[in-house]
Amino acid sequence: MKPNDPDIRWVKEPPMGPTGKTYLSLFLGGFTTTLKHLVSKKKTIPFPDRHYECPDPLIYRGVHRLNRDDQGRVKCVACFLCSTACPAYCIDIVAAESPWPDREKYPESFTIDELRCIYCGMCEEACPVDAIELTSLFDLSGKSREEMIFDKEKLLAVYDMTKDAEPRRTAGRPPTPPRDTGGPS
Amino acid sequence: MLFFFETLIKIALLIAGLMTAAAYLVLVERWMAAWIQDRVGPNRVGVPLTKIRLFGLGQPAADGGKFFFKEEFTPGHVDRALYFLGPMIMLTAALAVFAVIPFGSVLPTRFGVEGLSEPIRLVVAPGMAAGLVYVFAVNGLAVYGALLSGWASNNKYSLLGGLRSAAQLVSYELPLGLGILGVVLVAGSLDLETIISHQAQSGAWNFMLQPLGFVIFFVAGFAESGRLPFDLAESEQELVGGYHTEYSGVKLLMIMVSEYLHMFTASFLIVILFFGGWHFWGLTGSSDVVTWPVALLRVVVLLGKVLLTILFFMVARWSWPRFRFDQLMGLAWKVMLPLGLLNLVVLAVWMEYGRAVAEATGLSYLAATAAVGWGTLAVAWLAVVWFAPSASDNRPQRSPVVQEVCR
Amino acid sequence: MIHITIDNRPLELRDDERLNCIEAARRVGIEIPHYCWHPGLSVVASCRMCLIEYGMTNQATGQVEMMPKLVPACQTPAVDGSVVVTNSVKVARARAMVEEGLLLDHPIDCPICDKAGECLLQDYHFQYGQDERRADVRPFTSRRRDIGDVTLFVDRCILCSRCVRFVREVSGTSELYVSGRGAHEEIDVVEGFPLANNLSGNVVDLCPVGALGDKDFLYKQRVWYLKRHAAVCTGCSAGCSIWIEENHDRIYRLKPRENLAVNRWWICNEGRYGYPHVHNPERLLLPRRREGDTVTTPDWTKLPRELGERLRGAGRMAAVLSPFLTVEEAFLLCQYARSIDPEAVLVLGPVPVVGEDEVFPGGFTIRAEKCPNRRGVEEVLLASSGGLRTLESLLDELDRLPFGAIWVAGGYRQPWIDEPTAQRLARADVLVVQDLFPSPLSELATYALPSAAFAEREGSYVNYADQLQTAARGVRPPAGVRTEGSLLWELLSRERMYRASSVLEDVARAIGYFAPAAKGVGPTGIDLRANLLA
């Protein structure tokens, strides 16, 4: 940006005035703020002794889960939008033709590297069928890197574990009968 | 010979005390930082191998142990000799300063041993007439530590940190010295013990008599110890770690400890020079002949004052933002130096004619001195407000030429 | 001179140019959206997406007289005095209406549609469509029907009829037709006559939406992950321009690249689906050294020096250049053979010919000669050794006089050499074989070096009609494979990296036939015949 860029807004520092120039008010201002906080109530939650209780699990961004549809199948349609949206490139999907007559495409494998993930929730935003969601589980740990790469079964298991406490954000639409458009088929 | 042992014992006591204090004050500093940021701070590590937490009092042991077990990595691009020399100089200089700094007054007994000094003074090198000069000389060596570390690391951040440190320390030596000169003039001695006893005998601590000198020394002491808001030499946001960017393990520990020792030195000097050292009205007396309780009380009073000063250092760290480098230099050369000179001149004149003036006005000499001191401070402060010598805004401005272009 | 005004921008055309308004607008950088029009097919003007305001300048008065209604740009010739308006509110509304009409019956199943990302319906809707859908949202259906070579997603179709016109006009097989009337119109095939011809893959490229799906690509990858590299098909001597579309060094599909001088807009199925050999695990993937019965894997870093020493010490040398080599590689190999033995015998490897040329009514031809660069290698050999010799003549000579070293550059996709021939060649002391797949010859070779597949090398090919085209590298070769070019470059102790373009400049300077390539080769290649005639 050049100094003559018309987009620059030149801001003048407000004059301090005689009181300000003594620096005393500023000096005391900084000092009182620190002292106030020094004695104020602490916000820390001592973790293993006390657990964080999420006020609204629906907006927390923790471990992912893959939702199931009403027949218990994985809801994901393998559209790759989550892995496209993912800024950390942690979602890996292998798509295949679905084995079910009413579905075209499904994820043959769906893995999330929970260590690479930055828990931004973009995948959840991108999903057109609300298949991937972030739960409020935050104390995720494992003994190896491999263990932290969650595959489809594990992600579905997270759903089974959390579905009662955290309902799906959008309940699935009721299945609609296929439209008859006539014509040869 | 016995004298030699006496000194050795004092040195051992002093170093053990300083190191322990440094370790635990790190914990205190972390607590302060946490509390000021509305956290609880380290509270887990207690007795090793048990689950007893002890409010985190085991933390210093864990921190220290961690430093020793960390990989001591020496980058391939450093100048090895100087790289190793830097931390050593820093720590040595920081410790050596304490040779003349009293950590108490005197002991009432010689434990029945003939040949010890009489009485046993709680300072490693008692009666050193040039005590303050020694402090300045040795403290000045710390510059070499930072400069050598920065240079030998062969890293631009380190070099910048070293340069900044050198510029800052050299600049603030001047106001520091000018701040002290007033005290020295009043006490008529460079020996720290004499300065304390002078305050104890008169009952007026120096900060009451020459507040301007105190302010100058206090600010310069902050700058000399390189603590916020004067920590430009190692400002993390700009220089990673400044001159100790490339250090790790025990060498980093040495640098950290010596920085802490600088803060101790500054606190001790502030307390001794301006807050009466071990003296407290009605508690500690002022003579060299003491009983055990009084002797211990003097140690407690001195260390208590020092602790309070250190706590102020820690709170200050989170209270005010860091200076910009030009502001730092402006403060030293445009504000501190003239004010220090003013203080010195006023004091010198007062020393010459003060008693006559006091007699003429009928005031007590001490009250008159204090009045002159506070008057000087007020005048000096007003002058700073009026002339605003350190106010500088070197941010890019819209120049008239540019304005033309913009239209 | 034809003078046209498009959105107030003047355009001049030559008198012999016959463009419609879409093409004319493209000249001034204005894109008129269209579905049914394709430069390679007849005009039906059925999609109505390219509607524009059109007028004529009255030559006598100079007044512009606009037509009262919108006209389709694809059907409107850009004649002298034409005035075209594409950015008026009227046009924008018409486009939005067309989009809305198309989307009424479209299952918006973009998430599972392979076309999403390169779909014209998507693109035009974002650009010209309305923000909101006024009709009620119909449930998603996606009826899928197997119609032969490709898969038809019936509900996604927008009835542009490009595919139908293609099978009628270009492939001439007429399998597809539009059945039903009105809202019931669908693309279909007649029972028992599925879509099955050697150009059928092109209907997938032609389809502006995801109605026709490539069975080979179906659900494999999303198109926005693919990176495309301009290359040349090496399936036959036609040398069609193609795009190699890959992701993470894996080819997912090949697509035709428009090149009016060679393949126009099409490629054949043989070339389109001919890439899997690149990822075939049977390929030679490591260099092998055979001494007696012991087989070892030499280190690539030391191999060039070792090869040089062995070849230099062997005596008489011969080199067999396959027609799969690029011009640059052939040139470097000739130079290398000559640097070792100035009298080296250089011969052309076998040229695979399968069946006869297959000519389609639209003019597209699949060549019987199944190699990309016979002409180029021939010309390099002619220039290097003064005559063209075949492998047979080398074998005859081999029976009479022993050779110390033979370098065989292969790279054939199919088995190409039989056991007896291999045995005869193996009589040389040092036999260096570069090939894609294990063959009787590579089994006998002293050094069997893996060869790079077509997508892994860069270089130039000369097709049957002397059209020189350059191909960029599409994917990196597997870890143990070095491209012929870079190996020869190192063997010749040249400086810096192997770059085909700089070698081609050398070739153009050294060999008259290639001289036009000295000024660089454009995306559609260079016709070397023009040079010969001159």
Side-chain angles (χ1 to χ4, degrees):
Chain A
M1 193 176 253
K2 292 190 175 127
N4 59 358
D5 192 310
D7 287 340
I8 297 181
R9 278 187 60 220
W10 291 85
V11 182
K12 268 252 173 267
E13 206 173 346
M16 279 198 288
T19 336
K21 277 185 188 160
T22 60
Y23 298 106
L24 273 178
S25 55
L26 301 172
F27 177 87
L28 291 176
F31 204 55
T32 42
T33 307
T34 7
L35 289 182
K36 240 185 271 167
H37 281 275
L38 189 63
V39 294
S40 70
K41 195 173 169 333
K42 305 304 169 213
K43 305 273 195 313
T44 311
I45 296 167
F47 165 58
D49 309 341
R50 232 176 69 214
H51 270 256
Y52 169 66
E53 271 159 36
C54 191
D56 182 1
L58 294 190
I59 60 166
Y60 194 88
R61 300 200 302 257
V63 182
H64 314 75
R65 71 182 188 191
L66 266 186
N67 290 343
R68 292 178 188 278
D69 63 5
D70 37 17
Q71 294 177 47
R73 310 172 302 191
V74 59
K75 228 181 153 202
C76 171
V77 295
C79 69
F80 288 69
L81 287 186
C82 49
S83 69
T84 305
C86 181
Y89 305 112
C90 68
I91 305 180
D92 184 71
I93 304 171
V94 177
E97 212 173 314
S98 88
W100 312 300
D102 57 334
R103 296 261 302 267
E104 272 295 333
K105 201 178 171 188
Y106 91 118
E108 200 171 55
S109 117
F110 191 109
T111 51
I112 300 183
D113 189 341
E114 299 284 342
L115 293 180
R116 257 194 109 140
C117 176
I118 59 167
Y119 299 95
C120 63
M122 295 284 221
C123 46
E124 190 177 18
E125 297 285 327
C127 187
V129 292
D130 300 311
I132 187 168
E133 280 180 348
L134 272 69
T135 63
S136 67
L137 300 181
F138 62 89
D139 48 345
L140 178 69
S141 59
K143 291 196 176 102
S144 65
R145 286 173 193 280
E146 291 71 32
E147 205 177 305
M148 301 299 284
I149 299 174
F150 279 26
D151 59 2
K152 193 168 75 177
E153 278 63 45
K154 216 161 173 178
L155 290 164
L156 286 169
V158 177
Y159 171 72
D160 296 335
M161 202 165 78
T162 55
K163 65 180 170 190
D164 300 324
E166 299 169 30
R168 279 215 305 269
R169 254 147 264 193
T170 45
R173 292 196 197 93
T176 39
R179 178 173 54 127
D180 181 29
T181 51
S185 59
Chain B
M1 199 60 213
L2 278 169
F3 183 75
F4 179 68
F5 279 114
E6 182 196 334
T7 312
L8 267 191
I9 289 169
K10 282 184 195 165
I11 291 175
L13 263 178
L14 188 74
I15 291 185
L18 283 176
M19 290 304 167
T20 319
Y24 272 90
L25 282 170
V26 169
L27 178 63
V28 172
E29 170 144 34
R30 289 177 64 183
W31 275 341
M32 299 286 286
W35 294 338
I36 289 170
Q37 293 162 5
D38 292 351
R39 298 182 281 119
V40 292
N43 64 352
R44 297 302 163 103
V45 188
V47 183
L49 306 178
T50 64
K51 292 199 187 261
I52 304 165
R53 282 185 178 168
L54 268 182
F55 314 107
L57 284 174
Q59 191 71 41
D63 285 352
K66 195 174 128 191
F67 262 115
F68 281 97
F69 287 114
K70 282 251 171 167
E71 182 188 1
E72 190 150 5
F73 182 73
T74 307
H77 52 70
V78 300
D79 184 330
R80 288 184 76 88
L82 297 183
Y83 178 79
F84 281 88
L85 201 57
M88 289 181 197
I89 292 181
M90 287 185 80
L91 190 61
T92 314
L95 279 174
V97 172
F98 281 89
V100 295
I101 294 181
F103 49 94
S105 174
V106 290
L107 287 184
T109 168
R110 279 187 288 156
F111 305 103
V113 184
E114 292 299 324
L116 295 179
S117 57
E118 170 69 37
I120 297 177
R121 299 196 158 274
L122 290 178
V123 55
V124 174
M128 191 190 255
L132 267 174
V133 175
Y134 171 84
V135 167
F136 269 69
V138 177
N139 220 6
L141 283 178
V143 182
Y144 288 99
L147 204 53
L148 284 184
S149 308
W151 170 258
S153 292
N154 197 2
N155 165 329
K156 47 188 119 165
Y157 293 120
S158 302
L159 182 64
L160 278 173
L163 285 177
R164 280 187 179 191
S165 177
Q168 178 177 340
L169 294 190
V170 169
S171 300
Y172 276 89
E173 291 278 331
L174 280 166
L176 198 70
L178 287 173
I180 287 174
L181 273 183
V183 176
V184 173
L185 269 184
V186 170
S189 168
L190 287 164
D191 182 14
L192 291 169
E193 288 178 282
T194 317
I195 293 173
I196 297 176
S197 59
H198 183 266
Q199 292 179 72
Q201 273 152 18
S202 74
W205 297 353
N206 279 333
F207 86 95
M208 304 172 187
L209 300 180
Q210 18 181 319
L212 181 58
F214 166 67
V215 169
I216 290 168
F217 182 81
F218 196 76
V219 173
F222 253 83
E224 281 286 301
S225 60
R227 302 256 322 167
L228 263 149
F230 296 99
D231 71 333
L232 282 100
E234 47 193 283
S235 52
E236 297 89 348
Q237 291 85 349
E238 300 157 26
L239 299 180
V240 188
Y243 52 85
H244 59 68
T245 303
E246 298 282 7
Y247 284 90
S248 59
V250 179
K251 287 198 284 293
L252 182 64
L253 179 67
M254 284 161 79
I255 295 180
M256 296 291 205
V257 167
S258 51
E259 280 170 6
Y260 247 78
L261 291 179
H262 283 149
M263 181 171 75
F264 290 0
T265 316
S267 305
F268 265 101
L269 286 179
I270 287 166
V271 168
I272 289 169
L273 295 177
F274 289 97
F275 287 94
W278 43 257
H279 173 257
F280 201 87
W281 307 284
L283 278 180
T284 55
S286 60
S287 77
D288 257 8
V289 185
V290 291
T291 55
W292 269 109
V294 172
L296 290 179
L297 197 60
R298 286 181 177 180
V299 175
V300 170
V301 167
L302 176 65
L303 295 185
K305 287 178 184 173
V306 169
L307 182 66
L308 281 177
T309 319
I310 289 174
L311 287 180
F312 181 78
F313 266 87
M314 289 172 180
V315 177
R317 179 174 176 184
W318 304 107
S319 296
W320 304 295
R322 182 183 296 137
F323 280 81
R324 218 168 49 208
F325 205 80
D326 63 313
Q327 292 171 332
L328 182 86
M329 286 291 131
L331 187 67
W333 295 102
K334 294 183 192 165
V335 181
M336 292 296 178
L337 186 63
L339 293 193
L341 287 171
L342 172 74
N343 184 49
L344 188 64
V345 169
V346 168
L347 210 70
V349 170
W350 181 254
M351 293 293 286
E352 190 64 34
Y353 303 109
R355 288 196 185 276
V357 174
E359 276 169 26
T361 51
L363 279 168
S364 82
Y365 179 66
L366 277 180
T369 315
V372 168
W374 287 95
T376 318
L377 176 69
V379 168
W381 207 292
L382 283 176
V384 169
V385 171
W386 185 260
F387 295 109
S390 71
S392 67
D393 187 358
N394 61 357
R395 287 171 305 177
Q397 301 284 343
R398 172 182 286 209
S399 71
V401 182
V402 171
Q403 265 177 338
E404 282 304 310
V405 173
C406 287
R407 282 205 197 101
Chain C
M1 228 21 142
I2 301 173
H3 296 273
I4 306 168
T5 311
I6 300 173
D7 289 351
N8 284 333
R9 275 182 250 186
L11 172 68
E12 292 185 355
L13 299 176
R14 289 197 315 275
D15 280 330
D16 59 337
E17 281 183 295
R18 295 277 174 270
L19 300 184
N20 64 21
C21 287
I22 295 179
E23 290 165 310
R26 234 177 232 168
R27 291 275 177 94
V28 291
I30 293 167
E31 184 68 25
I32 296 176
H34 56 270
Y35 291 114
C36 68
W37 179 75
H38 187 277
L41 302 172
S42 60
V43 176
V44 290
S46 69
C47 73
R48 317 309 283 177
M49 192 63 193
C50 62
L51 290 177
I52 49 163
E53 286 189 78
Y54 181 82
M56 257 319 217
T57 315
N58 189 323
Q59 299 294 359
T61 61
Q63 284 283 319
V64 176
E65 292 160 6
M66 296 303 285
M67 288 173 86
K69 284 190 168 186
L70 299 175
V71 297
C74 63
Q75 217 178 22
T76 313
V79 295
D80 196 24
S82 294
V83 176
V84 174
V85 179
T86 72
N87 53 5
S88 67
V89 178
K90 206 170 162 189
V91 171
R93 275 186 57 81
R95 286 173 183 171
M97 290 305 109
V98 170
E99 273 297 315
E100 185 172 27
L102 290 175
L103 283 170
L104 271 183
D105 239 6
H106 190 82
I108 306 173
D109 55 348
C110 306
I112 59 161
C113 176
D114 275 340
K115 198 76 175 185
E118 54 178 11
C119 172
L120 288 185
L121 192 60
Q122 271 185 342
D123 295 349
Y124 289 162
H125 186 73
F126 280 119
Q127 226 172 330
Y128 309 112
Q130 305 183 106
D131 292 343
E132 280 180 20
R133 185 175 173 141
R134 293 187 290 178
D136 56 333
V137 179
R138 301 257 189 104
F140 146 78
T141 64
S142 180
R143 282 177 300 138
R144 192 171 142 194
R145 199 184 294 157
D146 192 352
I147 56 166
D149 290 349
V150 300
T151 301
L152 173 68
F153 291 87
V154 183
D155 299 299
R156 291 179 191 160
C157 181
I158 59 166
L159 270 306
C160 69
S161 80
R162 275 186 185 185
C163 51
V164 175
R165 278 174 285 148
F166 177 83
V167 293
R168 284 183 189 159
E169 295 161 16
V170 180
S171 73
T173 45
S174 307
E175 294 102 334
L176 298 170
Y177 75 107
V178 181
S179 74
R181 285 291 176 271
H184 300 296
E185 275 189 340
E186 279 175 13
I187 300 292
D188 208 350
V189 290
V190 177
E191 191 77 37
F193 297 93
L195 177 67
N197 63 65
N198 250 336
L199 291 181
S200 60
N202 290 306
V203 297
V204 179
D205 302 336
L206 280 173
C207 186
V209 294
L212 291 165
D214 194 332
K215 282 183 177 170
D216 183 60
F217 183 65
L218 195 68
Y219 300 150
K220 287 251 181 73
Q221 188 63 271
R222 302 315 304 254
V223 295
W224 53 81
Y225 289 130
L226 298 175
K227 292 166 279 290
R228 46 168 46 182
H229 308 273
V232 176
C233 178
T234 59
C236 73
S237 62
C240 298
S241 294
I242 54 166
W243 292 111
I244 295 174
E245 302 206 338
E246 55 88 23
N247 183 24
H248 290 299
D249 289 329
R250 188 164 188 92
I251 303 175
Y252 283 94
R253 63 181 183 185
L254 305 183
K255 288 222 151 207
R257 181 158 59 93
E258 181 180 327
N259 186 347
L260 295 179
V262 181
N263 56 319
R264 308 185 76 205
W265 300 271
W266 329 117
I267 55 171
C268 64
N269 286 2
E270 216 173 290
R272 183 187 296 268
Y273 304 120
Y275 67 86
H277 75 275
V278 175
H279 302 302
N280 192 334
E282 304 278 302
R283 263 177 72 178
L284 286 174
L285 291 172
L286 281 174
R288 277 201 318 233
R289 182 202 295 122
R290 175 185 295 275
E291 273 157 285
D293 286 335
T294 55
V295 177
T296 47
T297 303
D299 187 348
W300 267 123
T301 53
K302 296 177 189 138
L303 190 59
R305 172 186 290 265
E306 186 185 326
L307 267 179
E309 282 166 8
R310 287 288 297 271
L311 291 173
R312 247 177 273 281
R316 284 187 76 208
M317 181 167 175
V320 181
L321 279 70
S322 95
F324 278 89
L325 290 180
T326 64
V327 171
E328 293 87 347
E329 286 159 359
F331 182 70
L332 289 179
L333 183 50
C334 288
Q335 279 199 333
Y336 182 60
R338 281 288 145 93
S339 75
I340 286 180
D341 177 8
E343 301 295 309
V345 176
L346 305 170
V347 305
L348 178 68
V351 176
V353 176
V354 180
E356 289 185 351
D357 290 1
E358 188 178 354
V359 185
F360 290 89
F364 192 87
T365 308
I366 303 175
R367 296 269 145 195
E369 191 181 296
K370 299 297 179 199
C371 61
N373 200 23
R374 179 181 58 81
R375 286 291 298 127
V377 174
E378 271 177 9
E379 289 295 335
V380 171
L381 286 173
L382 272 174
S384 310
S385 56
L388 197 60
R389 294 179 59 181
T390 58
L391 185 58
E392 279 70 36
S393 77
L394 174 69
L395 289 169
D396 293 342
E397 191 177 340
L398 198 58
D399 293 338
R400 296 197 308 273
L401 274 166
F403 274 88
I406 299 182
W407 183 299
V408 181
Y412 292 89
R413 296 183 184 187
Q414 307 293 335
W416 62 284
I417 194 159
D418 53 0
E419 187 75 33
T421 321
Q423 291 285 2
R424 284 164 81 186
L425 281 170
R427 270 184 244 154
D429 297 334
V430 183
L431 174 63
V432 182
V433 175
Q434 286 178 300
D435 212 346
L436 263 185
F437 289 97
S439 67
L441 190 63
S442 71
E443 293 302 315
L444 294 169
T446 327
Y447 291 96
L449 309 179
S451 158
F454 75 99
E456 291 158 5
R457 21 167 118 148
E458 51 175 356
S460 316
Y461 300 97
V462 182
N463 78 351
Y464 74 100
D466 299 293
Q467 179 88 4
L468 179 126
Q469 295 180 82
T470 55
R473 193 180 68 174
V475 294
R476 286 178 295 182
V481 178
R482 280 192 70 174
T483 61
E484 282 87 336
S486 72
L487 176 63
L488 289 164
W489 189 254
E490 195 174 334
L491 284 171
L492 281 163
S493 317
R494 297 283 171 84
E495 284 173 354
R496 300 201 204 95
M497 298 267 285
Y498 167 71
R499 270 176 61 238
S501 56
S502 67
V503 178
L504 186 63
E505 282 170 24
D506 294 346
V507 177
R509 272 194 292 275
I511 304 174
Y513 175 73
F514 294 102
K519 291 188 220 81
V521 183
T524 57
I526 286 179
D527 191 355
L528 298 177
R529 263 178 318 186
N531 179 50
L532 291 185
L533 293 175

